[in-house]
């Protein structure tokens, strides 16, 4: 049966078709994850799959999505990919890709890939994916580079495949520039396969519903999502709501400032007052910044509607050119998450008096802590793999923060067993840190203590990416700060964004930050404190000093 545009007004039909699009993106997600070569893609799920309409606007994303990728990808498609390769220049089987930070997600390891989807000789949609490659050449992934040229190979938007034929020159250049050519090429091929799955399944979907293109369905999805977001904005009082936060930065503190401006049916975020760009790799480019602005507000406004282009149309942002949130193009940015991951917490802080029941305390997983382990095996071959370490989630109005949770990213950690296969290291300890969660009516999530020991005969270089060592995670609605993080080698403090060399048998110890609390600690129930004591999450001393537990328990 051939369906008409009026069918999209039927809520049941629309929901069924919308769910089907999400399922298509999920199928591609499964293919990419199951076939990827590197642990950071296969185990950490540091990738995303997104289905876009013929204008490059997001239609559906995989269920397990990284927030920054799902907004960066359609922005890249609309601003860069489609203008450079208009539809008349494309053929079936073409695959476009780049790792330019200005176009994609803000750092070189992430490759943005887009595949046009044809039906009856016409481009009807685009399949997109982004994945974090295990290596991109240059200095290993860390924070010390002083410009983008030190950080690795950068390739513009190119055709990796032309009419289905691999562009071997491009593949050869990439392979010759990286330490792990087999893993890098394997991950790129997995991305190509995932995009192909979206293309194949979308054409089957269109055939099943008797549609020549996706335009009418896209309009129905986008218009309803935009209307829902604008309705949610209208429920907030107009005004300008501001906050700032201090971060460790590289060698000096970094200040992030945000003013959230609510005007009837739209929101604008202005980052004026934010610190200037810095010499090292923690600068955040515009697409990356905007993606986090959108994500934070989506969480507060309308977390239930599946994410798509319509959800983000009412939201804009800006930052001064030359600031750390809008740097010049030559600046380094491979560790941009150390700053960018804090943007949602900053926006939550700005809005804590507007929607106190929806905001969350600052999270120790913002940013993700990471250790990039690089070196030579005993047989002389190269190894390299990144392990993530998450801090405690911020507390919420109804719940304690979860322990050791990644937020706002949702990357997993590589399983200890898989990490120890990829790298000659022993994870000697991995445990929660008592008292690390910020006190409050609801307690911040706990950070973790991890000890790694080099088992190889050769030295291991570990490039650190960490934050919140000097400035801990703040609480909201009168909640208290969590415990700061620590990085030590054989018991001696280390520079938390530097390079640590472990000789055979030496140990690296990291302690990730705890999340901030929500609400006044005096309002936490004695039963919850007693439960924390029984589970070893809070010590008796902290129960007394932070919560007045003995006195309150006696009264209750």
């Amino acid at each position: 049966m051939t369906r008409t545009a009026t069918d999209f007004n039927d809520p049941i039909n629309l929901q069924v078709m919308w769910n089907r699009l999400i399922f298509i993106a999920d199928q591609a997600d499964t293919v990419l994850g199951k076939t990827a070569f590197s642990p950071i893609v296969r185990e950490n799920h540091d990738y995303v799959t997104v289905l876009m309409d013929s204008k490059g606007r997001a239609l559906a994303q995989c269920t397990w999505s990284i927030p920054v990728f799902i907004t960066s990808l359609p922005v890249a498609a609309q601003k860069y990919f489609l203008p450079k390769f208009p539809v008349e220049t494309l053929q079936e089987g073409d695959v476009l890709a780049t790792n330019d930070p200005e176009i994609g997600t803000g750092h070189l390891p992430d490759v943005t890939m887009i595949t046009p989807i044809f039906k009856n000789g016409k481009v009807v949609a685009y399949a997109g994916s982004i994945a974090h490659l295990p290596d991109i050449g240059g200095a290993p992934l860390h924070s010390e580079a002083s410009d983008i040229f030190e950080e690795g190979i950068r390739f513009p938007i190119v055709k990796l495949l032309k009419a289905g034929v691999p562009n071997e020159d491009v593949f050869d250049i990439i392979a010759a520039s990286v330490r792990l050519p087999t893993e890098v090429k394997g991950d790129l091929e997995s991305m190509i396969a995932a995009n192909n799955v979206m293309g194949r399944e979308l054409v089957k979907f269109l055939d099943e519903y008797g549609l020549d293109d996706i335009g009418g369905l896209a309009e129905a999805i986008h218009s309803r999502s935009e209307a829902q977001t604008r309705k949610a904005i209208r429920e907030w009082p107009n005004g300008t709501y501001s906050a700032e936060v201090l971060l460790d930065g590289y060698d000096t503190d970094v200040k992030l400032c945000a003013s959230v401006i609510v005007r009837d049916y739209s929101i604008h975020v202005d980052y004026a007052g934010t610190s200037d760009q810095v010499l090292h790799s923690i600068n955040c480019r515009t697409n990356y910044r905007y993606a986090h602005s959108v994500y934070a507000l989506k969480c507060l406004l309308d977390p239930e509607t599946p994410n798509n282009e319509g959800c983000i149309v009412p939201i804009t942002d800006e930052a001064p050119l030359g600031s750390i949130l809008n740097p010049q193009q030559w600046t380094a940015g491979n560790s941009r998450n150390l700053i960018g991951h804090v943007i949602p917490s900053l926006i939550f802080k700005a809005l804590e008096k507007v929607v106190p029941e929806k905001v969350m305390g600052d999270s120790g997983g913002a940013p993700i802590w990471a250790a990039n382990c690089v070196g030579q095996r005993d047989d002389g071959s190269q190894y390299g793999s990144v392990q993530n370490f998450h801090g405690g989630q911020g507390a919420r109005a109804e719940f304690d923060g979860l322990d050791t949770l990644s937020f706002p990213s949702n990357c997993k950690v590589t399983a200890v067993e898989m990490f120890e296969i990829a790298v000659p290291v022993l994870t000697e300890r991995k445990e929660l840190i008592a008292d690390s969660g910020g006190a409050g009516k609801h307690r911040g999530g706990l950070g973790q203590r991890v000890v790694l020991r080099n088992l190889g005969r050769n030295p291991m270089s570990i490039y650190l990416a960490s934050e919140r060592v000097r400035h801990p995670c703040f609480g909201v609605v009168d909640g208290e700060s969590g415990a700061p993080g620590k990085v030590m080698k054989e018991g001696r403090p280390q520079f938390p964004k530097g390079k640590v060399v472990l000789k055979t048998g030496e140990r690296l110890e990291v302690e990730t930050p705890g999340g901030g609390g929500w609400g006044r600690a005096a309002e936490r129930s004695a039963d919850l404190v007693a439960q924390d004591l029984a589970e070893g999450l809070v010590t008796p001393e902290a129960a007394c000093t932070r919560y007045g537990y003995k006195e309150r328990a006696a009264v209750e």
Side-chain angles (χ1 to χ4, degrees):
M1 180 181 71
T2 301
R3 299 172 187 253
T4 67
T6 56
D7 291 314
F8 304 137
N9 293 320
D10 183 314
I12 296 176
N13 282 343
L14 179 60
Q15 191 64 63
V16 169
M17 298 173 79
W18 195 343
N19 289 346
R20 179 76 171 273
L21 297 181
I22 295 170
F23 178 65
I24 289 172
D26 281 340
Q27 287 178 282
D29 172 298
T30 300
V31 168
L32 210 167
K34 294 292 186 182
T35 62
F37 279 47
S38 68
I40 196 167
V41 178
R42 186 182 67 246
E43 304 292 331
N44 290 19
H45 202 284
D46 201 345
Y47 67 89
V48 72
T49 55
V50 178
L51 185 62
M52 296 170 283
D53 68 9
S54 61
K55 297 179 181 179
R57 300 176 301 179
L59 262 179
Q61 66 191 46
C62 58
T63 302
W64 191 288
S65 295
I66 296 178
V68 64
F69 288 2
I70 55 180
T71 300
S72 299
L73 206 162
V75 170
Q78 295 165 49
K79 288 177 62 177
Y80 298 98
F81 278 81
L82 273 60
K84 181 167 182 179
F85 287 97
V87 291
E88 61 270 16
T89 68
L90 299 174
Q91 305 176 72
E92 283 199 64
D94 283 352
V95 176
L96 312 175
T98 182
N99 73 330
D100 189 324
E102 198 70 28
I103 296 173
T105 72
H107 76 168
L108 291 168
D110 289 341
V111 169
T112 302
M113 184 180 293
I114 290 176
T115 302
I117 302 172
F118 284 79
K119 188 174 191 294
N120 298 327
K122 182 179 73 171
V123 174
V124 295
Y126 292 90
S129 56
I130 297 176
H132 183 132
L133 300 183
D135 189 76
I136 201 62
L141 179 62
H142 69 307
S143 309
E144 293 184 344
S146 58
D147 60 37
I148 193 173
F149 306 105
E150 294 182 18
E151 295 186 305
I153 182 175
R154 176 173 49 152
F155 54 93
I157 302 175
V158 295
K159 287 190 177 182
L160 280 185
L161 271 66
K162 297 180 178 181
V165 178
N167 188 342
E168 295 295 354
D169 290 342
V170 174
F171 280 104
D172 288 347
I173 290 171
I174 294 172
S177 303
V178 300
R179 298 171 182 82
L180 305 168
T182 300
E183 289 87 341
V184 167
K185 186 175 181 182
D187 287 350
L188 290 173
E189 291 174 344
S190 295
M191 295 174 69
I192 293 168
N195 283 8
N196 286 341
V197 166
M198 277 188 278
R200 181 193 70 206
E201 295 301 315
L202 181 66
V203 171
K204 287 168 60 178
F205 168 85
L206 293 174
D207 287 342
E208 180 180 330
Y209 280 87
L211 298 172
D212 291 327
D213 59 49
I214 205 76
L217 179 57
E219 178 60 31
I221 290 173
H222 292 153
S223 61
R224 285 162 174 76
S225 300
E226 180 180 346
Q228 182 67 19
T229 301
R230 293 193 188 278
K231 177 184 176 183
I233 294 172
R234 191 67 186 92
E235 295 176 0
W236 291 4
N238 283 347
T240 299
Y241 310 100
S242 301
E244 62 181 53
V245 61
L246 276 182
L247 301 174
D248 301 348
Y250 185 82
D251 44 16
T252 59
D253 288 350
V254 167
K255 182 170 70 171
L256 300 184
C257 301
S259 293
V260 181
I261 305 165
V262 181
R263 291 290 182 268
D264 294 331
Y265 297 98
S266 65
I267 291 180
H268 181 70
V269 184
D270 188 345
Y271 293 101
T274 290
S275 294
D276 291 341
Q277 66 188 41
V278 297
L279 184 62
H280 299 288
S281 299
I282 58 175
N283 298 290
C284 301
R285 289 177 165 80
T286 55
N287 286 359
Y288 190 74
R289 179 200 72 225
Y290 178 63
H292 283 111
S293 300
V294 166
Y295 176 68
L297 292 167
K298 180 76 164 67
C299 288
L300 299 178
L301 289 164
D302 180 29
E304 300 300 328
T305 300
N307 198 62
N308 62 81
E309 193 80 18
C311 300
I312 73 173
V313 170
I315 300 169
T316 56
D317 78 345
E318 65 177 322
L321 181 62
S323 70
I324 200 168
L325 295 181
N326 187 11
Q328 302 288 347
Q329 292 193 15
W330 56 266
T331 54
N334 269 358
S335 295
R336 84 282 192 244
N337 65 291
L338 297 181
I339 301 297
H341 278 177
V342 184
I343 288 174
S345 291
L346 174 64
I347 290 177
F348 291 167
K349 186 177 183 182
L351 293 168
E352 66 176 330
K353 295 189 184 305
V354 179
V355 282
E357 74 286 354
K358 293 185 177 181
V359 299
M360 185 172 70
D362 192 12
S363 291
I368 291 175
W369 280 38
N372 185 20
C373 300
V374 178
Q376 286 188 338
R377 296 185 180 86
D378 296 347
D379 62 6
S381 62
Q382 293 273 350
Y383 67 79
S385 188
V386 176
Q387 179 62 295
N388 293 334
F389 307 109
H390 302 323
Q393 182 194 33
R396 295 156 288 170
E398 297 180 355
F399 303 101
D400 293 342
L402 298 176
D403 303 324
T404 65
L405 180 79
S406 171
F407 178 88
S409 179
N410 61 352
C411 284
K412 296 186 284 187
V413 300
T414 300
V416 168
E417 296 82 359
M418 298 304 298
F419 185 61
E420 292 177 347
I421 290 173
V423 173
V425 71
L426 176 66
T427 304
E428 289 192 338
R429 179 180 298 179
K430 195 173 174 66
E431 61 188 6
L432 296 177
I433 303 173
D435 297 336
S436 56
K441 180 178 180 180
H442 295 288
R443 173 184 47 73
L446 272 57
Q448 62 181 309
R449 181 180 296 109
V450 182
V451 178
L452 303 178
R453 177 158 59 95
N454 179 17
L455 297 181
R457 291 202 299 261
N458 298 314
M460 174 185 294
S461 295
I462 301 181
Y463 298 87
L464 300 169
S466 54
E467 247 293 340
R468 297 320 191 22
V469 172
R470 294 198 308 273
H471 299 289
C473 298
F474 56 81
V476 294
V477 196
D478 297 323
E480 298 179 17
S481 297
K486 296 179 182 178
V487 181
M488 292 169 286
K489 171 186 169 181
E490 295 293 313
R492 299 184 299 275
Q494 301 294 301
F495 180 51
K497 292 182 176 66
K499 171 184 174 181
V500 175
V501 177
L502 295 185
K503 297 178 182 176
T504 302
E506 289 187 326
R507 296 168 175 84
L508 177 77
E509 180 177 334
V510 299
E511 295 184 4
T512 60
W518 189 100
R520 296 174 60 244
E523 297 178 3
R524 186 169 181 80
S525 75
D527 287 345
L528 288 177
V529 179
Q531 182 177 331
D532 285 345
L533 281 167
E535 295 177 355
L537 306 179
V538 172
T539 62
E541 179 183 4
C544 292
T545 58
R546 295 184 183 182
Y547 296 104
Y549 175 65
K550 283 186 178 180
E551 295 81 359
R552 291 170 55 202
V555 172
E556 294 182 17

